[in-house]
Amino acid sequence: MVYTSRSARHGALLVGTVAVLGLLTACGNGQDVHGNPPITASGTAAPATGDSKSPASPPSAPAATPSDSASASAPRTTGSAGGGGTTATAAASTRCHTSELRAAVGRNDPGAGQENFPVVLTNRSGRTCTLHGYPGAAFVNASGTQIGPDPRREPGSPTTITLRPGQSAWAGLTFSNPGISGARTATPAALLITPPDERDALKAAWTDGAVPVSGSSSSVFLSVLSPGTAP
């Protein structure tokens, strides 16, 4: 048996203790004793407990201001062709539709060789609606065939007309007296009238005789809509 002195045994014990403490310290620091880096695994962390402070919440996005929302959603509608502008006051949902209107041709008001008729659109629905621009129009015979070209539009500045139930708007239909102008004529049975921005037409009986359909001074003109039933 090999004899080991007491001091030698004490030294060996001290060295072993230091080695164990070093190993524990390395583990406590999250380091692999073999020199490999720690592995990070994905997953959901459990909520912190004790005195640990929870991480600060991310800043919230700034709220939209009323002006931003209005500019993004405000609705805009374009006036009928030839109107020369866009109006933001009349949304498409407020427009008068053909089914909500009644059409009529008013009494002739001749002057200076001209025949002048008010074409009247009346709101027959139970809601308030709007008209903006020019109506469409075409003369037709008894079988529904169009007579002559479409009326031309007189220059004008369209405005949005608000019609409560029972209220009306009118546009002027004018042409030169055929007896004076010498234009070729035909006698229509009705005038088809299409409200602005609509596709379906209303029919109004025509009882005022011949209208010009071709030749010199045969053009028929239609003015922009105005409130009321006549000038």
Side-chain angles (χ1 to χ4, degrees), residues 3-229:
Y3 175 75
T4 304
S5 67
R6 183 182 186 132
S7 60
R9 289 199 306 270
H10 180 72
L13 178 61
L14 181 59
V15 171
T17 302
V18 170
V20 171
L21 289 175
L23 179 60
L24 293 175
T25 301
C27 293
N29 290 336
Q31 298 177 348
D32 193 303
V33 295
H34 298 290
N36 295 324
I39 298 174
T40 302
S42 61
T44 303
T49 59
D51 295 333
S52 300
K53 294 182 180 180
S54 60
S57 301
S60 58
T65 62
S67 60
D68 293 337
S69 300
S71 62
S73 61
R76 296 177 180 272
T77 58
T78 303
S80 56
T86 301
T87 176
T89 59
S93 60
T94 68
R95 188 178 77 239
C96 297
H97 300 293
T98 302
S99 60
E100 299 174 307
L101 299 169
R102 179 175 64 252
V105 178
R107 185 179 61 185
N108 185 19
D109 183 21
Q114 290 287 116
E115 310 300 320
N116 306 299
F117 299 88
V119 175
V120 182
L121 293 172
T122 301
N123 181 5
R124 66 183 185 89
S125 74
R127 75 177 185 111
T128 297
C129 61
T130 60
L131 294 173
H132 182 90
Y134 294 83
F139 290 111
V140 294
N141 60 21
S143 63
T145 302
Q146 182 170 343
I147 298 173
D150 292 340
R152 299 170 63 182
R153 288 174 175 173
E154 291 184 340
S157 299
T159 59
T160 298
I161 303 169
T162 300
L163 299 182
R164 292 193 293 272
Q167 291 186 325
S168 303
W170 70 280
L173 181 76
T174 65
F175 53 84
S176 297
N177 186 309
I180 298 174
S181 68
R184 290 184 53 196
T185 64
T187 301
L191 180 68
L192 298 183
I193 304 162
T194 306
D197 301 314
E198 291 289 300
R199 294 182 178 275
D200 297 327
L202 299 164
K203 181 183 287 187
W206 182 264
T207 59
D208 290 281
V211 299
V213 294
S214 65
S216 178
S217 300
S218 62
S219 294
V220 178
F221 294 90
L222 199 61
S223 72
V224 71
L225 284 163
S226 299
T229 58

